[in-house]
Amino acid sequence: MADFEEKLADTPAEAEPAPSSEPEPEPEKEPEPEKPSWLPEGCNQLADGEYDAIVLGTGLKECIMSGLLSTQGLKVLHLDRYNYYGAECASLNLSNLYSKFQAGDPPQYLGSNRDYNVDLIPKFIMACGNLTKMLLHTKVTRYLEFKSIDASFVVQNNKVLKVPATPQEALSSSLMGIFEKRRFRSFLIYINEYNPSDPTTFKNKDLTSMTMRQLYVSFGLCDATHEFISHAMCLELNNDHLDSPALPTVLRLQTYCTSLETYGKSPYIYPMYGLGGLPEGFSRLCAIHGGTFMLNADVKEVMFDDDGAAWGVKVDVDDMQTGKRELQCAKATMVIGDPSYFPSSKIRSTGQVVRSICFLNHPLPSTNNSESCQIIIPGPQVGRKNDVFVCCLSSQQNVVAKGIYVAIVSTKVETSDPAKELIPGLRLLGQILQRFDSVSECYEPTGDGLSDRCFISSSFDGTSHFEADCDDLLSLYKRVTGEELDMNIDTSLEPDY
Amino acid sequence: MSGSVRHFKLVLLGDTAVGKSCLVVRFVRDEFFEFQEPTIGAAFLTQSVQLDSSVVKFEIWDTAGQERYRSLAPMYYRGASAAIVVFDLSNKESYNGAKSWVKELMRRGDPNVVIALAGNKADLPASQRKVETEEAQAYAEENNILYLETSAKNASNVKNLFVEIAKKLPQQAMQQEREQGFTISPPKQEKKSCC
């Protein structure tokens, strides 16, 4: 018998294998798989057909959601209409960037396409903020490397001044006079010691009723100091917080100070190769736990049942067998996604953000040749309500070719001439090689998703960090799962081999 | 005797169900499962190869199924010093697939990436073979990549595959052309709970 088998293995390929006792399979034609009853007329099944959750758009929040849900055992299908990860917060190479802005071919002097990872949305990560906690919680940190941002600046009286990162810098800073510096110092000591759960640290100040303005005044701080603390350290976007209870702003200042202590140069960190690495990292987390990803999947519609609840999606995709585009359908108990995938009745506008992506061949003037930095222009300094932000990155973060810098200027739109609103930021850049402007409409969901099964994230806001986006994510998570996300770092999760 | 340890990221590529995960599981744990789950459920696996004067430690990234709809993220290719492109010797389609993965890798990966083409399932009877050794060998030579025929099932050539790759990797940790960052780790359990 053994001989016979060996002989068989040596038989030339055209010979039929020995007949077995099993019945011959039907020749040629594969049995037509039975179409599930839920499949609409004219549609084929998309991927595995039935899922627990369908996630639309590979933006950061959507990828964190699919990562978290799949680690909990849910079967996730994740789709994106574009051929790259990241949606609104993608980091694009030159050719994708130029095609997105319909700007023709990239000029030769910018160098190699693969050296570029240009963020569409400029944001930095607070070293000790919620996004960092989420990265640690999910261990997505293992896919990413970071760099500290060199410095943070604030504009005061038309001058670009460094936000002090050390007590020494605070002493030599021209942001404040000598007596103001002492008051600033005692204010920071108070903030550092303040603990919301320990009344002995309150020093007779009730920050839940006292306003931020009152708190500043109680330390004798002048208006100019309020402004740089609030805008460049607490990262308030406008002055609304001054007349609201101080506590939330104080907590933001604490996050800033702890973040600053962690890495020294500035409170911000940034992933090598661009922010796009963040959604990619979470997508890998999801995939490792069985999630299915399809890019270049043109979602035609979210489908609703008679009660108005979403039950699936209809998508125009490349069929893997035929290579041709065709309509396919998948079903799930919930549909999660960014606002751009849902009917207009499910979302409402929250305003617009204007952004300008600029390539330079030099670091930003008056930033002491920082290879990476942020400049905050408090709105009131330039006759506006909302702040203008400038983020600058270089080859230090592997987001542009050597010798090139990318600066992104952004602000919340206040007038009918958004491009003009960026001028206070653009004029800090010096000579600009290339410039790409865009105005994005921002949306939020009109409902919580509980009855219509549409769980929609909010658009990325105009802030220069992810803190508000994390709050939105936590809310989304709670709506989807009915539970608060436990962000404690679980070291048992998914051990390395 | 072991000498220095050099670390390299290695990525797997190839069509679905050609045995990518099986090859890794065989190499790393010396196990084989006929019905290996489509993904191995780990971020990445590590295993070392002993060469004459040094040790090469591989950090092996599996596609985690993201190859199914050709949705691998740029992160996957980034920083990979080596890649194994796998196909199933009994499936011509997967061989054509492998050739397009090689092309994709050359386009998206590091210019110096060491590529090995692995014709897997060499244990199957010759009657089931759909890709001839000469054909794949010629293709590999043309593209200056390694070619080995492996069987994750009976372990043949699996370790050898990694050894051959290790031999082709640069002797010195290369002068990093690119900037490198730091990884963030959980805060020490002390003082402030805020971070």
Side-chain angles (χ1 to χ4, degrees):
Chain A
M1 190 63 194
D3 265 346
F4 176 67
E5 266 183 6
E6 209 147 78
K7 196 134 184 284
L8 232 190
D10 287 334
T11 352
E14 57 265 28
E16 284 294 326
S20 67
S21 52
E22 284 170 50
E24 284 281 308
E26 290 282 317
E28 292 296 302
K29 202 164 134 261
E30 276 193 26
E32 194 75 14
E34 207 168 298
K35 281 200 174 187
S37 57
W38 53 265
L39 211 54
E41 199 66 29
C43 266
N44 280 325
Q45 176 178 299
L46 177 68
D48 296 343
E50 293 186 43
Y51 291 86
D52 295 318
I54 294 173
V55 184
L56 306 177
T58 53
L60 177 60
K61 292 177 209 178
E62 287 70 33
C63 286
I64 296 179
M65 279 308 296
S66 66
L68 290 170
L69 294 180
S70 64
T71 48
Q72 290 165 12
L74 265 66
K75 192 172 178 196
V76 176
L77 174 65
H78 202 143
L79 310 171
D80 197 300
R81 62 167 75 87
Y82 298 112
N83 65 352
Y84 51 80
Y85 281 89
E88 283 288 283
C89 60
S91 304
L92 301 187
N93 59 24
L94 275 187
S95 52
N96 280 340
L97 182 72
Y98 274 71
S99 90
K100 175 149 189 109
F101 287 94
Q102 296 166 358
D105 288 329
Q108 286 284 317
Y109 62 79
L110 287 177
S112 164
N113 192 28
R114 68 164 78 206
D115 285 340
Y116 285 79
N117 299 285
V118 181
D119 297 332
L120 294 177
I121 291 189
K123 279 178 188 278
F124 291 155
I125 302 170
M126 270 290 181
C128 294
N130 275 335
L131 181 56
T132 310
K133 284 183 201 165
M134 237 168 256
L135 286 162
L136 287 165
H137 169 70
T138 53
K139 292 198 169 187
V140 167
T141 41
R142 65 175 127 212
Y143 304 128
L144 297 165
E145 288 187 350
F146 295 84
K147 272 267 164 83
S148 283
I149 294 299
D150 278 349
S152 172
F153 296 87
V154 61
V155 168
Q156 198 180 73
N157 301 323
N158 286 317
K159 279 201 275 244
V160 176
L161 301 172
K162 187 160 190 292
V163 181
T166 62
Q168 288 78 8
E169 278 187 2
L171 280 177
S172 61
S173 170
S174 48
L175 275 166
M176 296 165 284
I178 180 75
F179 294 108
E180 186 73 355
K181 277 173 187 158
R182 284 198 202 157
R183 294 188 283 267
F184 176 61
R185 189 167 170 272
S186 42
F187 173 72
L188 283 189
I189 290 171
Y190 174 78
I191 298 296
N192 187 42
E193 286 173 357
Y194 181 85
N195 178 348
S197 52
D198 178 3
T200 65
T201 65
F202 294 0
K203 309 274 167 63
N204 297 320
K205 296 182 208 294
D206 179 2
L207 300 191
T208 60
S209 63
M210 186 178 205
T211 67
M212 196 62 205
R213 191 191 305 276
Q214 287 166 335
L215 180 66
Y216 283 137
V217 169
S218 75
F219 280 89
L221 294 167
C222 70
D223 284 355
T225 312
H226 302 182
E227 190 176 272
F228 95 75
I229 296 175
S230 284
H231 292 258
M233 298 175 77
C234 307
L235 305 173
E236 294 290 354
L237 292 178
N238 53 47
N239 277 345
D240 294 349
H241 66 285
L242 280 176
D243 299 308
S244 308
L247 187 59
T249 306
V250 165
L251 293 178
R252 287 154 149 258
L253 185 53
Q254 286 188 333
T255 306
Y256 183 95
C257 294
T258 338
S259 300
L260 187 57
E261 276 169 31
T262 311
Y263 296 109
K265 290 194 288 190
S266 82
Y268 307 112
I269 55 174
Y270 183 86
M272 303 298 281
Y273 302 101
L275 295 175
L278 298 167
E280 285 178 26
F282 285 101
S283 81
R284 184 160 168 83
L285 175 75
C286 176
I288 279 168
H289 290 89
T292 301
F293 282 81
M294 291 175 96
L295 301 181
N296 211 7
D298 189 10
V299 179
K300 290 292 179 198
E301 88 185 89
V302 175
M303 300 199 284
F304 295 91
D305 63 20
D306 294 343
D307 300 328
W311 65 266
V313 291
K314 195 184 272 182
V315 186
D316 190 19
V317 284
D318 287 331
D319 180 66
M320 291 315 266
Q321 255 81 56
T322 63
K324 292 200 181 100
R325 295 299 270 188
E326 67 170 40
L327 276 182
Q328 298 186 349
C329 221
K331 102 190 262 263
T333 54
M334 62 178 108
V335 180
I336 301 169
D338 78 47
S340 69
Y341 287 91
F342 292 89
S344 57
S345 61
K346 303 277 176 201
I347 55 176
R348 64 173 157 249
S349 173
T350 54
Q352 293 176 318
V353 177
V354 57
R355 303 183 176 97
S356 183
I357 300 172
C358 303
F359 287 131
L360 319 173
N361 57 5
H362 54 81
L364 298 188
S366 26
T367 62
N368 202 17
N369 288 326
S370 295
E371 291 283 299
S372 60
C373 67
Q374 177 181 70
I375 304 176
I376 293 173
I377 308 165
Q381 287 284 331
V382 288
R384 297 173 48 77
K385 186 171 188 298
N386 291 285
D387 296 356
V388 179
F389 297 100
V390 181
C391 289
C392 181
L393 297 166
S394 64
S395 60
Q396 197 189 50
Q397 294 78 31
N398 293 338
V399 296
V400 287
K402 276 216 157 51
I404 301 290
Y405 293 76
V406 60
I408 309 183
V409 185
S410 62
T411 192
K412 195 161 186 219
V413 173
E414 295 175 10
T415 70
S416 55
D417 190 359
K420 209 172 152 195
E421 299 183 46
L422 294 177
I423 290 174
L426 290 168
R427 70 173 173 225
L428 299 176
L429 306 190
Q431 204 208 341
I432 297 167
L433 298 174
Q434 294 275 313
R435 181 177 155 188
F436 305 94
D437 291 356
S438 64
V439 175
S440 320
E441 197 77 40
C442 299
Y443 296 98
E444 64 181 11
T446 51
D448 59 13
L450 296 181
S451 58
D452 63 9
R453 309 305 293 159
C454 293
F455 298 95
I456 307 172
S457 65
S458 296
S459 308
F460 281 93
D461 58 19
T463 61
S464 60
H465 53 80
F466 289 101
E467 297 310 291
D469 302 307
C470 286
D471 292 344
D472 180 43
L473 179 91
L474 292 173
S475 139
L476 186 61
Y477 181 87
K478 192 173 176 188
R479 289 180 342 242
V480 168
T481 64
E483 284 166 24
E484 302 277 353
L485 176 63
D486 173 12
M487 281 201 292
N488 285 320
I489 294 149
D490 177 4
T491 44
S492 67
L493 190 77
E494 208 194 295
D496 276 330
Y497 288 85
Chain B
M1 187 56 206
S2 66
S4 62
V5 179
R6 291 174 290 141
H7 292 253
F8 295 98
K9 172 176 169 182
L10 180 150
V11 294
L12 289 163
L13 292 168
D15 288 354
T16 306
V18 292
K20 296 184 293 297
S21 299
C22 291
L23 273 179
V24 179
V25 170
R26 171 60 82 188
F27 174 58
V28 173
R29 301 196 208 129
D30 201 16
E31 292 171 344
F32 178 81
F33 302 101
E34 194 78 48
F35 299 102
Q36 176 77 40
E37 286 289 305
T39 58
I40 50 181
F44 37 72
L45 299 163
T46 57
Q47 178 64 290
S48 303
V49 162
Q50 171 85 51
L51 297 181
D52 289 343
S53 56
S54 66
V55 173
V56 167
K57 188 165 185 184
F58 289 110
E59 181 183 280
I60 306 162
W61 291 44
D62 200 348
T63 53
Q66 283 176 305
E67 84 287 6
R68 184 170 161 201
Y69 298 106
R70 299 252 160 178
S71 299
L72 284 165
M75 163 186 280
Y76 189 71
Y77 297 92
R78 200 168 278 149
S81 306
I84 300 177
V85 180
V86 188
F87 69 95
D88 173 352
L89 284 165
S90 68
N91 179 345
K92 184 83 182 181
E93 199 66 9
S94 77
Y95 173 67
N96 294 332
K99 290 201 277 191
S100 74
W101 284 112
V102 169
K103 212 181 275 174
E104 180 85 343
L105 187 59
M106 288 173 168
R107 189 172 70 83
R108 296 175 70 172
D110 186 279
N112 300 317
V113 61
V114 174
I115 305 173
L117 182 65
N120 195 35
K121 308 196 185 175
D123 54 278
L124 289 175
S127 59
Q128 292 188 30
R129 180 187 273 267
K130 295 282 158 39
V131 181
E132 294 310 319
T133 308
E134 296 72 28
E135 185 188 356
Q137 189 74 54
Y139 168 79
E141 275 166 26
E142 205 175 295
N143 288 278
N144 198 23
I145 63 180
L146 291 165
Y147 176 64
L148 283 90
E149 294 189 351
T150 56
S151 164
K153 189 171 183 177
N154 68 20
S156 105
N157 245 353
V158 174
K159 183 156 185 229
N160 199 21
L161 172 67
F162 287 85
V163 171
E164 289 304 314
I165 291 169
K167 284 184 191 161
K168 281 193 83 173
L169 285 165
Q171 287 305 303
Q172 242 85 76
M174 268 195 303
Q175 199 58 42
Q176 281 296 329
E177 277 264 314
R178 301 278 193 147
E179 290 276 346
Q180 296 213 284
F182 54 81
T183 50
I184 49 178
S185 42
K188 302 273 174 290
Q189 296 290 332
E190 51 179 339
K191 15 180 236 182
K192 297 211 167 164
S193 59
C194 132
C195 167

